[in-house]
Amino acid sequence: MIEMVLCDLCKKRKAVIKIRYAGLDFCKECLSKFVEQKVMLSLKRIGILNKLSGKYLVIALSGGKDSTNATYIMHKLSQEYDFKMKAVFVDEGIGEYSRQRRAIVMDLCRKLGIEYRIVTMKEEVGISTPEAVSILVKSRSSIKPCSVCGVFRRYLLNKVALDENADYVVTGHNLDDEVQTFIMSLIRGDIRSIAREAYSSGCEDDVPELVSRIKPLYLVYERESLVYFITHGFKRTSLSCPYARFSMRYAIREMINDLEYRRPGMKYRILALKERLGKSIREKVLSNIEIRHCKICGMPSSRDVCRACELKEFLVKLSQNYKGIYTK
Amino acid sequence: MVIDGLRREGIVVVKMRNDVKRVAVNNKTKVEKILLKIGINPESVIVFKNGKLTTEDDYVEDGDEIEVLPVSSGG
């Protein structure tokens, strides 16, 4: 008979995850505390924890593990730190995948007693993700589905947050997401992105039309997030986004996980480098960027036309070439 | 029993999203060793043993069933 592996912290309960960079096995209760302590730490580090009282937060809830965890933890904190929050679900129109996610979001919000708002990409932007992908495929464009969907989702979240008069937008980005984004910026040679992402929150206080973002899971490994999600019994969909595999992030994730296994804690070290590098170049890189307003939608942008409007115009042009489906 | 020309003490079934593998094990084989044997990076998955979430430091024996769940499913 094999003895069960016990938690290295409490020495009592069955271990459910190995935290390789700490060399310790954790049970579900100790992991739960560990994850929640990391959330508190990341909120303290950006100096936001004690400013939350009386604030109104909009949380981007996709129904996936990370945004579900972020919603759950922030909801717990909302009682202690006295702030209000509303969940926002952006429906990309990806068939059964979006339908299942929408049902999960509605179910979670009802259970937690959180208000929610659903916005559809088709209604708000005029095009759904599958329609945009169809245009890109027919016109043999090299733009990846995640690039289009990501731009429109960020645009919509900011728009909804402004409409709701929210103080902050909360997203479920975890440590792995941040490290992958940093590596992708390096590969693309995108120094602006590195400078912008210097802090755990895009605190654009100087631009009133850009609502500051908070990432509570900034210090949480994706693997820890999944175990937290499962051990809390949250509902999940069996479907994955059909377009995710086309993303460059997919290949980078594999590479980083491989390195993390060989050198545990490497993701933390990359994150620390990202912050130090970002802080040291931030002023130099961003000081000469003038924030203007998009000529079409009026949202702040470093260019005459913002990325979302530029992408919309681009898709309209492409679809007109073959009498496409774009209507708005 | 003799498997692959070596003396083994049991078989463990490993279930993945689109595949099922049968892995020959000796007494007290670590979950981590089984994952590496079939080319899975333990850092990119979480593991259930006989339906219960476990760590890769856990051991398996003949007849155990391992289910492997990828950490990331999205983009």
Side-chain angles (χ1 to χ4, degrees):
Chain A
M1 187 70 181
I2 292 172
E3 282 178 29
M4 68 176 175
V5 179
L6 291 177
C7 172
D8 285 313
L9 293 190
C10 67
K11 317 264 187 210
K12 282 187 288 192
R13 293 178 288 259
K14 183 187 178 306
V16 293
I17 183 172
K18 178 168 189 173
I19 308 284
R20 201 172 298 277
Y21 55 84
L24 300 170
D25 286 303
F26 280 42
C27 67
K28 60 180 184 181
E29 282 84 0
C30 291
L31 177 83
S32 181
K33 275 187 209 158
F34 185 57
V35 167
E36 289 168 16
Q37 278 168 359
K38 280 188 176 190
V39 170
M40 296 291 277
L41 182 64
S42 61
L43 295 177
K44 274 182 197 162
R45 276 179 60 183
I46 55 170
I48 230 162
L49 193 61
N50 293 322
K51 293 183 193 162
L52 286 174
S53 178
K55 293 283 193 291
Y56 180 40
L57 278 60
V58 155
I59 184 152
L61 179 56
S62 70
K65 63 182 186 310
D66 301 310
S67 61
T68 298
N69 290 343
T71 304
Y72 175 73
I73 297 171
M74 291 309 283
H75 175 64
K76 269 169 78 170
L77 291 177
S78 70
Q79 286 139 18
E80 193 180 338
Y81 289 87
D82 185 35
F83 60 87
K84 284 188 178 165
M85 55 190 276
K86 184 184 252 186
V88 173
F89 174 72
V90 177
D91 188 335
E92 304 99 342
I94 311 176
E96 186 56 25
Y97 171 77
S98 292
R99 276 192 290 276
Q100 282 194 15
R101 291 276 180 133
R102 181 194 274 243
I104 287 171
V105 164
M106 289 162 68
D107 188 49
L108 180 75
C109 289
R110 280 193 206 117
K111 275 184 188 155
L112 295 177
I114 301 174
E115 274 187 61
Y116 63 89
R117 177 169 165 182
I118 293 173
V119 288
T120 64
M121 216 179 258
K122 176 81 180 168
E123 279 172 23
E124 298 288 331
V125 185
I127 192 164
S128 68
T129 297
E131 287 171 349
V133 173
S134 167
I135 293 173
L136 293 172
V137 169
K138 281 178 188 166
S139 51
R140 297 182 180 180
S141 168
S142 60
I143 298 175
K144 300 278 184 285
C146 298
S147 307
V148 178
C149 193
V151 167
F152 289 150
R153 260 189 303 153
R154 278 191 294 276
Y155 172 80
L156 277 180
L157 272 176
N158 192 58
K159 201 175 156 195
V160 170
L162 282 175
D163 185 46
E164 290 280 339
N165 213 4
D167 297 295
Y168 299 103
V169 173
V170 181
T171 66
H173 290 99
N174 58 45
L175 184 142
D176 289 55
D177 295 327
E178 296 298 314
V179 171
Q180 288 155 16
T181 303
F182 175 63
I183 301 287
M184 282 161 71
S185 303
L186 287 178
I187 290 170
R188 282 197 298 257
D190 187 352
I191 198 163
R192 276 192 192 183
S193 164
I194 295 169
R196 246 196 333 260
E197 298 279 336
Y199 301 103
S200 32
S201 144
C203 285
E204 295 95 352
D205 289 334
D206 44 340
V207 186
E209 298 94 336
L210 275 178
V211 183
S212 299
R213 280 186 292 158
I214 303 177
K215 299 170 184 172
L217 305 185
Y218 188 75
L219 298 172
V220 179
Y221 273 50
E222 186 169 19
R223 200 161 173 263
E224 295 160 10
S225 180
L226 178 61
V227 173
Y228 184 95
F229 178 85
I230 287 175
T231 53
H232 279 74
F234 294 125
K235 220 165 145 187
R236 64 191 166 107
T237 162
S238 53
L239 300 174
S240 305
C241 175
Y243 307 116
R245 65 198 164 96
F246 299 109
S247 165
M248 180 163 75
R249 194 175 281 276
Y250 195 80
I252 288 174
R253 180 186 296 138
E254 298 291 307
M255 179 191 81
I256 295 173
N257 279 338
D258 188 36
L259 292 170
E260 175 71 24
Y261 181 72
R262 293 163 199 239
R263 295 275 186 274
M266 190 210 58
K267 288 180 192 172
Y268 260 137
R269 292 190 287 276
I270 294 181
L271 190 79
L273 170 71
K274 171 190 113 107
E275 296 223 347
R276 282 166 62 189
L277 187 64
K279 275 175 195 169
S280 62
I281 61 170
R282 188 176 166 94
E283 212 175 304
K284 196 170 179 186
V285 174
L286 299 182
S287 62
N288 52 5
I289 296 175
E290 190 193 339
I291 296 288
R292 286 171 273 185
H293 287 88
C294 172
K295 282 195 295 195
I296 299 169
C297 69
M299 289 289 198
S301 171
S302 57
R303 296 176 293 185
D304 287 339
V305 177
C306 75
R307 184 82 183 108
C309 290
E310 186 187 68
L311 206 51
K312 277 198 286 190
E313 285 192 332
F314 177 69
L315 289 169
V316 170
K317 270 183 201 158
L318 285 182
S319 73
Q320 278 165 352
N321 291 342
Y322 61 88
K323 291 184 183 167
I325 41 176
Y326 201 100
T327 54
K328 200 167 176 177
Chain B
M1 67 183 90
V2 176
I3 300 164
D4 302 335
L6 298 166
R7 186 161 178 80
R8 302 287 192 192
E9 286 159 3
I11 297 281
V12 166
V13 174
V14 184
K15 286 185 176 175
M16 289 160 283
R17 193 183 271 174
N18 301 317
D19 199 8
V20 176
K21 282 198 165 115
R22 291 164 69 80
V23 182
V25 294
N26 286 324
N27 199 16
K28 286 196 94 177
T29 302
K30 262 194 180 183
V31 168
E32 182 177 2
K33 199 172 172 186
I34 292 178
L35 295 176
L36 293 174
K37 203 171 177 178
I38 56 174
I40 294 175
N41 176 5
E43 197 54 40
S44 60
V45 295
I46 61 166
V47 177
F48 295 84
K49 185 176 96 174
N50 302 326
K52 287 187 177 161
L53 196 58
T54 194
T55 136
E56 57 264 37
D57 280 343
D58 200 359
Y59 291 94
V60 289
E61 58 188 352
D62 184 34
D64 279 341
E65 193 179 280
I66 296 291
E67 194 188 339
V68 177
L69 186 68
V71 167
S72 188
S73 56

